[in-house]
Amino acid sequence: MNILIRIKRFDPERDSKPYWDEFRVEADPIDRLLDTLNTIKWTMDGTLTFRRSCAHGVCGSDAMRINGRNRLACKVLMRDVGNKVTIEPMLGYAVIKDLVVDMDRFFEKYRSVKPFLITYDNEPGTERLQSQAQREVYDEGTKCILCGACTGSCPSIWGNPDWVGPASIVNAHRFIFDSRDQGAAERLQLLSRKDGVWRCRTIFNCADACPRGIPVTDLIEQVKRAIVYGGPEEA
Amino acid sequence: MPEHQSHSYCLKAPPPASRIEEEMYKGQSGMWSWLFHRISGLGILLFLFIHIVDVSMLSFGPGVYNQSVVLFDYVVVRLLSLALVIAVLYHTFNGIRIMAIDFWRKGSRYQRAMFGIVLAATIIVFIPMAYYIMGPAFQWLTQAPHAATTGH
C-alpha cells in the first residue's frame, strides 16, 4: 500500500518553528509504523529523528502522536492507520528534534514519588511473601514501561507542566498498593499536595493512550480514594 | 553515488512557515465530557453575574425590576436561556458522573456508558424546558395577527 506520511519536524539548529514534511512510502499492511519511519530514515531522509530501541513495545522509546493520539510507533500496524498518516511529537514535552522530546522532567517527576520498595521492619529471613490476591491489587501498575504516552496526552499537563502527571501516579500506585511496602503514607502525602493527584480531572485520555492497556485514570482514582480514606484499600 | 548527491538532504531549504498548523489531540468521550463541563461551568458563572444584577434591580422597586426582566422576553435572550438550561443540565448530570468516578470503585470502568447516560438525560430534560422557554416566542404563529401586535 502506498501511504502519505506527514511528519511535524523541527530542527533547532535550522528552524525557528516546526513545519510539516511529507513522504510517500510503499508499505506492507502488516508493517509497523516504526518500520515505515525506518524506511524513510534509511532510504529517503537521514535527518529524520526519532527514538526507538527494542521496537517491540517493551522499551517505551517511540511514543509519538500518531493521527492525533499518543501511540507507540512499534505497536501500530500500517493497515490500521489509513492511507494518510499524521505523526507529531507528543504534546506536553519540549521538542528536542523532530519526534524526539525532552523526557528529563518526566523522569524527575517519576523519581519524586519514590517508585521503589520502602520497608522499615528488620529484613525477614525468608522472602517477603504475598498472596495472589495481594499481588493482583497492583498488577496493572506493574505493566508501565514509562513511555510517557499517558502524560503527553493529559490536558492537565499541557496546562500545568509542574503537575506530577499520570505515569508517576501509576508508579506510585504500584508501591502504595503493594502489601510488602511500608511507604504508602509518605507517597500519599507527596501526592496530596498542590501538584499531586488532585489535578487529575478524570479526562481519560491517559487510559486511551496507554500502549500497555493500563486503566490509568482508574489507578489515579484509587490513589485519590486512598488519600481521602487514609490508606490503600485492602485486597 | 557522487558525494553531493548522497548529502543532498542537508541542503534542503526550510519549507515556508505558513505550512504549520496545529491539530487538536484526538481525545475520546472523556476529553469532550471534561471540555463541555469546563465551558458549561464558565457559562453558568457568567449567567450568575447577570442574575445578580437582574435580581438586585428589586432594590430599586417593582417598577424597575419589572422593566429590567422584560429583557428575558427577547428571542435572542430566550435562545441564550436555552444555552443556559443546556449548560446547567449537562453540568449537573456530568457532575454526578464525576462523583461516581471519584467515589464508586467501578466508576472509571463505566465512565463512557455514564457519559452516554449524561447526554441522554440532558436532552430528555431539556426538551420540555425548551418548550416552556421558547413557546411564548412563537405565540405569533398560533394566535390571530391582531393578538400578536397587541401582545405587550
Side-chain angles (χ1 to χ4, degrees):
Chain A
M1 56 197 283
N2 191 277
I3 290 164
L4 179 69
I5 301 200
R6 292 167 75 231
I7 303 177
K8 190 186 252 180
R9 303 193 57 182
F10 176 67
D11 178 353
E13 291 178 355
R14 199 188 64 174
D15 310 320
S16 55
K17 281 178 181 173
Y19 64 94
W20 290 105
D21 205 356
E22 291 184 357
F23 299 93
R24 238 180 209 294
V25 192
E26 204 51 57
D28 196 88
I30 56 166
D31 276 351
R32 287 121 5 119
L33 186 63
L34 183 65
D35 299 322
T36 311
L37 286 176
N38 281 334
T39 305
I40 294 172
K41 185 170 176 69
W42 294 339
T43 67
M44 299 167 84
D45 186 347
T47 63
L48 178 66
T49 310
F50 52 94
R51 285 197 183 102
R52 78 268 193 246
S53 299
C54 80
H56 290 81
V58 179
C59 73
S61 300
D62 59 351
M64 52 188 77
R65 209 171 141 206
I66 298 161
N67 282 346
R69 291 186 179 129
N70 287 357
R71 295 285 183 263
L72 294 185
C74 57
K75 288 193 80 173
V76 171
L77 293 183
M78 295 312 291
R79 67 176 175 210
D80 296 328
V81 292
N83 291 324
K84 197 179 166 198
V85 191
T86 306
I87 305 174
E88 297 155 87
M90 285 192 288
L91 292 168
Y93 302 94
V95 176
I96 295 174
K97 190 182 176 189
D98 292 345
L99 302 172
V100 176
V101 292
D102 186 353
M103 304 285 285
D104 282 358
R105 289 212 67 193
F106 174 84
F107 284 108
E108 198 182 295
K109 290 174 197 166
Y110 165 67
R111 285 188 290 269
S112 79
V113 299
K114 306 186 181 183
F116 40 78
L117 186 77
I118 299 174
T119 57
Y120 294 105
D121 294 343
N122 292 332
E123 231 170 85
T126 58
E127 64 267 52
R128 298 170 201 274
L129 289 176
Q130 191 167 49
S131 70
Q132 287 189 356
Q134 285 171 326
R135 175 63 178 72
E136 185 69 30
V137 175
Y138 63 90
D139 187 57
E140 295 288 358
T142 63
K143 297 174 187 168
C144 178
I145 54 174
L146 296 170
C147 64
C150 55
T151 300
S153 75
C154 176
S156 293
I157 279 278
W158 308 337
N160 179 2
D162 293 330
W163 186 47
V164 67
S168 309
I169 302 173
V170 164
N171 286 281
H173 176 286
R174 185 248 170 273
F175 287 98
I176 291 168
F177 286 79
D178 187 332
S179 59
R180 301 165 297 185
D181 186 89
Q182 295 173 328
E186 51 197 279
R187 288 197 199 89
L188 291 176
Q189 209 245 326
L190 283 170
L191 289 171
S192 65
R193 293 192 302 201
K194 187 163 68 82
D195 287 317
V197 287
W198 306 113
R199 285 198 188 280
C200 166
R201 308 288 193 238
T202 58
I203 296 166
F204 292 92
N205 275 5
C206 51
D208 169 62
C210 181
R212 307 287 296 183
I214 302 171
V216 183
T217 318
D218 191 27
L219 301 192
I220 298 174
E221 290 297 295
Q222 288 179 28
V223 175
K224 284 180 185 172
R225 285 197 288 271
I227 291 172
V228 171
Y229 300 133
E233 290 163 12
E234 294 298 317
Chain B
M1 190 187 284
E3 181 129 344
H4 70 274
Q5 264 187 7
S6 65
H7 289 88
S8 61
Y9 54 76
C10 295
L11 302 171
K12 199 166 76 173
S18 61
R19 282 173 61 192
I20 308 156
E21 58 201 81
E22 288 299 329
E23 281 181 22
M24 197 174 173
Y25 191 88
K26 282 202 177 59
Q28 298 186 350
S29 62
M31 189 170 94
W32 292 109
S33 74
W34 163 76
L35 206 55
F36 293 154
H37 201 78
R38 278 273 155 117
I39 294 166
S40 59
L42 287 172
I44 294 164
L45 181 69
L46 187 70
F47 171 73
L48 182 68
F49 295 135
I50 300 167
H51 191 52
I52 289 168
V53 171
D54 75 54
V55 170
S56 67
M57 289 297 144
L58 264 178
S59 55
F60 298 100
V64 177
Y65 177 76
N66 284 342
Q67 268 184 351
S68 65
V69 293
V70 168
L71 173 77
F72 292 96
D73 187 39
Y74 287 104
V75 174
V76 177
V77 184
R78 281 181 189 276
L79 289 172
L80 287 172
S81 300
L82 283 188
L84 174 71
V85 167
I86 280 263
V88 169
L89 290 175
Y90 176 78
H91 205 81
T92 308
F93 292 128
N94 196 52
I96 296 167
R97 170 178 165 270
I98 292 171
M99 284 190 274
I101 292 167
D102 282 339
F103 290 103
W104 179 33
R105 272 164 174 239
K106 292 177 182 172
S108 310
R109 209 177 305 162
Y110 295 115
Q111 62 92 9
R112 196 179 296 246
M114 287 195 289
F115 182 57
I117 295 169
V118 165
L119 291 183
T122 303
I123 293 165
I124 289 166
V125 182
F126 171 73
I127 290 168
M129 292 179 88
Y131 175 78
Y132 283 108
I133 291 169
M134 292 312 288
F138 289 102
Q139 265 180 2
W140 56 273
L141 279 177
T142 50
Q143 282 179 350
H146 68 274
T149 52
T150 58
H152 298 296

